[in-house]
Amino acid sequence: MSEEKRTELRGKVLRLADLVAYQDGTVASRMVVNKPAGSITLFSFDEDEGLSEHTAPYDAVVTILDGECEVWVAGETHQMSAGETIIFPANAPHALSAITRFKMSLTMIRE
């Protein structure tokens, strides 16, 4: 999404789950804020899709917007559903996998 399109979202009431559509057999994403201090990206995951284990140099806040997923963070497994949030600590290994189709918001804090 271009910065111009992200700017169009400012000052409006948004339903985050409506800003990213499901796509069959894949993961889709839409960045809604991208600043030096951090970013907010929305994701949709089709059933059986996920992200393999990785780390990030910053804290990451994940909020489930729709559906259900399984999350692994620093060796612990959590089942999550719409309305729940988890914070991935900086440098902690984490991964996630769809149980059903699901959507999430990822907020990365860089500073």
Side-chain angles (χ1 to χ4, degrees):
M1 174 187 282
S2 70
E3 186 59 33
E4 181 179 317
K5 287 194 177 199
R6 282 191 286 271
T7 300
E8 291 174 6
L9 299 174
R10 293 182 188 154
K12 297 181 180 174
V13 175
L14 306 169
R15 183 171 162 80
L16 296 180
D18 293 344
L19 295 180
V20 62
Y22 287 115
Q23 296 182 22
D24 290 340
T26 193
V27 178
S29 66
R30 180 177 184 182
M31 186 172 285
V32 294
V33 174
N34 188 21
K35 300 289 182 185
S39 62
I40 299 173
T41 307
L42 307 176
F43 291 87
S44 68
F45 293 77
D46 199 10
E47 195 170 358
D48 298 324
E49 294 294 324
L51 295 177
S52 59
E53 186 174 80
H54 63 283
T55 61
Y58 311 106
D59 286 348
V61 179
V62 171
T63 299
I64 307 306
L65 304 172
D66 184 45
E68 296 179 38
C69 67
E70 191 167 71
V71 172
W72 300 272
V73 59
E76 290 189 34
T77 302
H78 307 276
Q79 286 198 350
M80 296 182 65
S81 59
E84 295 181 318
T85 298
I86 190 166
I87 300 170
F88 297 147
N91 303 309
H94 56 273
L96 51 88
S97 180
I99 295 171
T100 66
R101 285 180 142 192
F102 81 99
K103 295 180 181 181
M104 67 178 225
S105 169
L106 170 66
T107 303
M108 295 286 294
I109 307 299
R110 294 187 190 115
E111 293 183 358

